[in-house]
PDB file of all heavy atoms in Angstrom:
ATOM      1  N   LYS A 122    -109.550-111.547 -17.718  1.00 70.00           N
ATOM      2  CA  LYS A 122    -108.623-112.343 -16.932  1.00 70.00           C
ATOM      3  C   LYS A 122    -109.290-113.598 -16.377  1.00 70.00           C
ATOM      4  O   LYS A 122    -110.124-113.547 -15.486  1.00 70.00           O
ATOM      5  CB  LYS A 122    -108.082-111.491 -15.780  1.00 70.00           C
ATOM      6  CG  LYS A 122    -106.700-111.893 -15.336  1.00 70.00           C
ATOM      7  CD  LYS A 122    -106.108-110.818 -14.425  1.00 70.00           C
ATOM      8  CE  LYS A 122    -105.150-111.418 -13.430  1.00 70.00           C
ATOM      9  NZ  LYS A 122    -105.832-111.932 -12.231  1.00 70.00           N
ATOM     10  N   HIS A 123    -108.930-114.733 -16.953  1.00 76.00           N
ATOM     11  CA  HIS A 123    -109.467-115.994 -16.455  1.00 76.00           C
ATOM     12  C   HIS A 123    -108.315-116.884 -16.029  1.00 76.00           C
ATOM     13  O   HIS A 123    -107.180-116.688 -16.431  1.00 76.00           O
ATOM     14  CB  HIS A 123    -110.250-116.704 -17.556  1.00 76.00           C
ATOM     15  CG  HIS A 123    -111.470-115.962 -17.984  1.00 76.00           C
ATOM     16  ND1 HIS A 123    -112.491-115.655 -17.116  1.00 76.00           N
ATOM     17  CD2 HIS A 123    -111.828-115.444 -19.171  1.00 76.00           C
ATOM     18  CE1 HIS A 123    -113.431-114.989 -17.764  1.00 76.00           C
ATOM     19  NE2 HIS A 123    -113.047-114.844 -19.010  1.00 76.00           N
ATOM     20  N   THR A 124    -108.655-117.881 -15.205  1.00 74.00           N
ATOM     21  CA  THR A 124    -107.643-118.844 -14.818  1.00 74.00           C
ATOM     22  C   THR A 124    -107.271-119.686 -16.032  1.00 74.00           C
ATOM     23  O   THR A 124    -108.115-120.325 -16.628  1.00 74.00           O
ATOM     24  CB  THR A 124    -108.182-119.767 -13.707  1.00 74.00           C
ATOM     25  OG1 THR A 124    -108.655-118.947 -12.649  1.00 74.00           O
ATOM     26  CG2 THR A 124    -107.104-120.696 -13.214  1.00 74.00           C
ATOM     27  N   GLN A 125    -106.011-119.656 -16.421  1.00 70.00           N
ATOM     28  CA  GLN A 125    -105.598-120.456 -17.568  1.00 70.00           C
ATOM     29  C   GLN A 125    -104.989-121.771 -17.101  1.00 70.00           C
ATOM     30  O   GLN A 125    -105.348-122.833 -17.570  1.00 70.00           O
ATOM     31  CB  GLN A 125    -104.573-119.684 -18.425  1.00 70.00           C
ATOM     32  CG  GLN A 125    -105.151-118.457 -19.105  1.00 70.00           C
ATOM     33  CD  GLN A 125    -106.396-118.745 -19.941  1.00 70.00           C
ATOM     34  OE1 GLN A 125    -106.602-119.859 -20.398  1.00 70.00           O
ATOM     35  NE2 GLN A 125    -107.247-117.752 -20.124  1.00 70.00           N
ATOM     36  N   GLU A 126    -104.072-121.678 -16.133  1.00 72.00           N
ATOM     37  CA  GLU A 126    -103.457-122.895 -15.628  1.00 72.00           C
ATOM     38  C   GLU A 126    -103.826-123.078 -14.171  1.00 72.00           C
ATOM     39  O   GLU A 126    -103.674-122.166 -13.364  1.00 72.00           O
ATOM     40  CB  GLU A 126    -101.942-122.808 -15.768  1.00 72.00           C
ATOM     41  CG  GLU A 126    -101.455-123.517 -17.011  1.00 72.00           C
ATOM     42  CD  GLU A 126     -99.993-123.275 -17.244  1.00 72.00           C
ATOM     43  OE1 GLU A 126     -99.207-123.450 -16.295  1.00 72.00           O
ATOM     44  OE2 GLU A 126     -99.642-122.893 -18.369  1.00 72.00           O
ATOM     45  N   GLY A 127    -104.370-124.241 -13.839  1.00 72.00           N
ATOM     46  CA  GLY A 127    -104.769-124.505 -12.470  1.00 72.00           C
ATOM     47  C   GLY A 127    -103.555-124.683 -11.578  1.00 72.00           C
ATOM     48  O   GLY A 127    -102.479-125.045 -12.030  1.00 72.00           O
ATOM     49  N   SER A 128    -103.738-124.386 -10.279  1.00 79.00           N
ATOM     50  CA  SER A 128    -102.661-124.588  -9.326  1.00 79.00           C
ATOM     51  C   SER A 128    -102.715-126.016  -8.783  1.00 79.00           C
ATOM     52  O   SER A 128    -103.757-126.652  -8.780  1.00 79.00           O
ATOM     53  CB  SER A 128    -102.810-123.592  -8.179  1.00 79.00           C
ATOM     54  OG  SER A 128    -101.951-123.943  -7.132  1.00 79.00           O
ATOM     55  N   LEU A 129    -101.586-126.534  -8.339  1.00 86.00           N
ATOM     56  CA  LEU A 129    -101.562-127.894  -7.809  1.00 86.00           C
ATOM     57  C   LEU A 129    -101.439-127.919  -6.292  1.00 86.00           C
ATOM     58  O   LEU A 129    -101.358-128.981  -5.674  1.00 86.00           O
ATOM     59  CB  LEU A 129    -100.409-128.682  -8.449  1.00 86.00           C
ATOM     60  CG  LEU A 129    -100.636-129.058  -9.917  1.00 86.00           C
ATOM     61  CD1 LEU A 129     -99.403-129.728 -10.485  1.00 86.00           C
ATOM     62  CD2 LEU A 129    -101.845-129.962 -10.074  1.00 86.00           C
ATOM     63  N   GLU A 130    -101.411-126.740  -5.690  1.00 88.00           N
ATOM     64  CA  GLU A 130    -101.320-126.638  -4.242  1.00 88.00           C
ATOM     65  C   GLU A 130    -102.587-127.237  -3.622  1.00 88.00           C
ATOM     66  O   GLU A 130    -103.695-126.843  -3.980  1.00 88.00           O
ATOM     67  CB  GLU A 130    -101.205-125.166  -3.856  1.00 88.00           C
ATOM     68  CG  GLU A 130    -100.587-124.948  -2.501  1.00 88.00           C
ATOM     69  CD  GLU A 130    -100.493-123.457  -2.205  1.00 88.00           C
ATOM     70  OE1 GLU A 130     -99.919-122.727  -3.043  1.00 88.00           O
ATOM     71  OE2 GLU A 130    -101.016-123.045  -1.179  1.00 88.00           O
ATOM     72  N   THR A 131    -102.428-128.190  -2.696  1.00 92.00           N
ATOM     73  CA  THR A 131    -103.589-128.905  -2.171  1.00 92.00           C
ATOM     74  C   THR A 131    -103.830-128.573  -0.706  1.00 92.00           C
ATOM     75  O   THR A 131    -103.015-128.884   0.151  1.00 92.00           O
ATOM     76  CB  THR A 131    -103.391-130.429  -2.318  1.00 92.00           C
ATOM     77  OG1 THR A 131    -103.015-130.709  -3.668  1.00 92.00           O
ATOM     78  CG2 THR A 131    -104.668-131.176  -2.003  1.00 92.00           C
ATOM     79  N   SER A 132    -104.975-127.939  -0.413  1.00 94.00           N
ATOM     80  CA  SER A 132    -105.339-127.672   0.975  1.00 94.00           C
ATOM     81  C   SER A 132    -105.890-128.962   1.581  1.00 94.00           C
ATOM     82  O   SER A 132    -106.191-129.919   0.869  1.00 94.00           O
ATOM     83  CB  SER A 132    -106.398-126.571   1.038  1.00 94.00           C
ATOM     84  OG  SER A 132    -107.602-127.034   0.473  1.00 94.00           O
ATOM     85  N   LYS A 133    -106.035-128.961   2.922  1.00 94.00           N
ATOM     86  CA  LYS A 133    -106.508-130.148   3.618  1.00 94.00           C
ATOM     87  C   LYS A 133    -107.905-130.540   3.117  1.00 94.00           C
ATOM     88  O   LYS A 133    -108.171-131.700   2.822  1.00 94.00           O
ATOM     89  CB  LYS A 133    -106.548-129.853   5.123  1.00 94.00           C
ATOM     90  CG  LYS A 133    -106.321-131.081   5.973  1.00 94.00           C
ATOM     91  CD  LYS A 133    -106.215-130.710   7.434  1.00 94.00           C
ATOM     92  CE  LYS A 133    -106.357-131.952   8.284  1.00 94.00           C
ATOM     93  NZ  LYS A 133    -106.503-131.647   9.708  1.00 94.00           N
ATOM     94  N   LEU A 134    -108.780-129.515   2.990  1.00 95.00           N
ATOM     95  CA  LEU A 134    -110.153-129.753   2.583  1.00 95.00           C
ATOM     96  C   LEU A 134    -110.236-130.283   1.144  1.00 95.00           C
ATOM     97  O   LEU A 134    -110.949-131.247   0.865  1.00 95.00           O
ATOM     98  CB  LEU A 134    -110.954-128.434   2.703  1.00 95.00           C
ATOM     99  CG  LEU A 134    -112.463-128.543   2.738  1.00 95.00           C
ATOM    100  CD1 LEU A 134    -112.922-129.466   3.863  1.00 95.00           C
ATOM    101  CD2 LEU A 134    -113.083-127.168   2.896  1.00 95.00           C
ATOM    102  N   ALA A 135    -109.475-129.651   0.255  1.00 95.00           N
ATOM    103  CA  ALA A 135    -109.492-130.073  -1.153  1.00 95.00           C
ATOM    104  C   ALA A 135    -108.979-131.507  -1.280  1.00 95.00           C
ATOM    105  O   ALA A 135    -109.482-132.290  -2.086  1.00 95.00           O
ATOM    106  CB  ALA A 135    -108.653-129.129  -2.002  1.00 95.00           C
ATOM    107  N   GLY A 136    -107.979-131.861  -0.454  1.00 95.00           N
ATOM    108  CA  GLY A 136    -107.430-133.208  -0.476  1.00 95.00           C
ATOM    109  C   GLY A 136    -108.437-134.221   0.035  1.00 95.00           C
ATOM    110  O   GLY A 136    -108.658-135.273  -0.569  1.00 95.00           O
ATOM    111  N   LEU A 137    -109.072-133.872   1.148  1.00 95.00           N
ATOM    112  CA  LEU A 137    -110.060-134.744   1.783  1.00 95.00           C
ATOM    113  C   LEU A 137    -111.227-135.027   0.838  1.00 95.00           C
ATOM    114  O   LEU A 137    -111.705-136.155   0.740  1.00 95.00           O
ATOM    115  CB  LEU A 137    -110.569-134.059   3.057  1.00 95.00           C
ATOM    116  CG  LEU A 137    -111.333-134.933   4.043  1.00 95.00           C
ATOM    117  CD1 LEU A 137    -110.385-135.876   4.760  1.00 95.00           C
ATOM    118  CD2 LEU A 137    -112.065-134.061   5.054  1.00 95.00           C
ATOM    119  N   LEU A 138    -111.664-133.987   0.123  1.00 96.00           N
ATOM    120  CA  LEU A 138    -112.832-134.116  -0.767  1.00 96.00           C
ATOM    121  C   LEU A 138    -112.434-134.487  -2.197  1.00 96.00           C
ATOM    122  O   LEU A 138    -113.273-134.602  -3.068  1.00 96.00           O
ATOM    123  CB  LEU A 138    -113.631-132.805  -0.769  1.00 96.00           C
ATOM    124  CG  LEU A 138    -114.332-132.470   0.545  1.00 96.00           C
ATOM    125  CD1 LEU A 138    -114.735-131.010   0.593  1.00 96.00           C
ATOM    126  CD2 LEU A 138    -115.553-133.361   0.735  1.00 96.00           C
ATOM    127  N   ARG A 139    -111.124-134.665  -2.408  1.00 95.00           N
ATOM    128  CA  ARG A 139    -110.593-135.031  -3.730  1.00 95.00           C
ATOM    129  C   ARG A 139    -111.086-134.078  -4.826  1.00 95.00           C
ATOM    130  O   ARG A 139    -111.543-134.489  -5.883  1.00 95.00           O
ATOM    131  CB  ARG A 139    -110.967-136.471  -4.074  1.00 95.00           C
ATOM    132  CG  ARG A 139    -110.130-137.470  -3.321  1.00 95.00           C
ATOM    133  CD  ARG A 139    -110.529-138.888  -3.644  1.00 95.00           C
ATOM    134  NE  ARG A 139    -111.597-139.338  -2.772  1.00 95.00           N
ATOM    135  CZ  ARG A 139    -112.712-139.917  -3.189  1.00 95.00           C
ATOM    136  NH1 ARG A 139    -112.915-140.106  -4.487  1.00 95.00           N
ATOM    137  NH2 ARG A 139    -113.625-140.311  -2.348  1.00 95.00           N
ATOM    138  N   LEU A 140    -110.995-132.770  -4.551  1.00 96.00           N
ATOM    139  CA  LEU A 140    -111.462-131.771  -5.515  1.00 96.00           C
ATOM    140  C   LEU A 140    -110.352-131.438  -6.505  1.00 96.00           C
ATOM    141  O   LEU A 140    -109.746-130.377  -6.454  1.00 96.00           O
ATOM    142  CB  LEU A 140    -111.934-130.503  -4.783  1.00 96.00           C
ATOM    143  CG  LEU A 140    -113.077-130.717  -3.789  1.00 96.00           C
ATOM    144  CD1 LEU A 140    -113.376-129.454  -3.018  1.00 96.00           C
ATOM    145  CD2 LEU A 140    -114.324-131.217  -4.495  1.00 96.00           C
ATOM    146  N   ARG A 141    -110.056-132.409  -7.350  1.00 94.00           N
ATOM    147  CA  ARG A 141    -109.022-132.200  -8.355  1.00 94.00           C
ATOM    148  C   ARG A 141    -109.402-132.940  -9.635  1.00 94.00           C
ATOM    149  O   ARG A 141    -110.399-133.657  -9.671  1.00 94.00           O
ATOM    150  CB  ARG A 141    -107.685-132.722  -7.848  1.00 94.00           C
ATOM    151  CG  ARG A 141    -107.706-134.188  -7.462  1.00 94.00           C
ATOM    152  CD  ARG A 141    -106.329-134.645  -7.015  1.00 94.00           C
ATOM    153  NE  ARG A 141    -106.287-135.070  -5.630  1.00 94.00           N
ATOM    154  CZ  ARG A 141    -106.626-136.276  -5.177  1.00 94.00           C
ATOM    155  NH1 ARG A 141    -107.097-137.178  -5.997  1.00 94.00           N
ATOM    156  NH2 ARG A 141    -106.546-136.591  -3.907  1.00 94.00           N
ATOM    157  N   GLY A 142    -108.640-132.738 -10.654  1.00 92.00           N
ATOM    158  CA  GLY A 142    -108.918-133.427 -11.908  1.00 92.00           C
ATOM    159  C   GLY A 142    -107.902-133.081 -12.959  1.00 92.00           C
ATOM    160  O   GLY A 142    -106.870-132.459 -12.664  1.00 92.00           O
ATOM    161  N   SER A 143    -108.176-133.480 -14.179  1.00 89.00           N
ATOM    162  CA  SER A 143    -107.301-133.127 -15.284  1.00 89.00           C
ATOM    163  C   SER A 143    -108.164-132.885 -16.512  1.00 89.00           C
ATOM    164  O   SER A 143    -109.292-133.359 -16.585  1.00 89.00           O
ATOM    165  CB  SER A 143    -106.287-134.231 -15.555  1.00 89.00           C
ATOM    166  OG  SER A 143    -106.982-135.399 -15.959  1.00 89.00           O
ATOM    167  N   TYR A 144    -107.643-132.095 -17.433  1.00 86.00           N
ATOM    168  CA  TYR A 144    -108.409-131.811 -18.645  1.00 86.00           C
ATOM    169  C   TYR A 144    -107.453-131.705 -19.826  1.00 86.00           C
ATOM    170  O   TYR A 144    -106.272-131.383 -19.651  1.00 86.00           O
ATOM    171  CB  TYR A 144    -109.224-130.535 -18.470  1.00 86.00           C
ATOM    172  CG  TYR A 144    -108.410-129.263 -18.499  1.00 86.00           C
ATOM    173  CD1 TYR A 144    -108.520-128.374 -19.558  1.00 86.00           C
ATOM    174  CD2 TYR A 144    -107.522-128.951 -17.475  1.00 86.00           C
ATOM    175  CE1 TYR A 144    -107.768-127.206 -19.589  1.00 86.00           C
ATOM    176  CE2 TYR A 144    -106.775-127.792 -17.494  1.00 86.00           C
ATOM    177  CZ  TYR A 144    -106.900-126.925 -18.561  1.00 86.00           C
ATOM    178  OH  TYR A 144    -106.160-125.779 -18.593  1.00 86.00           O
TER     179      TYR A 144
END
Side-chain angles (χ1 to χ4, degrees):
Chain A
K122 209 167 150 275
H123 295 300
T124 306
Q125 293 306 335
E126 262 172 50
S128 168
L129 288 175
E130 202 179 306
T131 309
S132 67
K133 210 174 165 190
L134 198 56
L137 195 73
L138 292 163
R139 284 179 272 130
L140 301 174
R141 57 178 117 83
S143 63
Y144 73 111

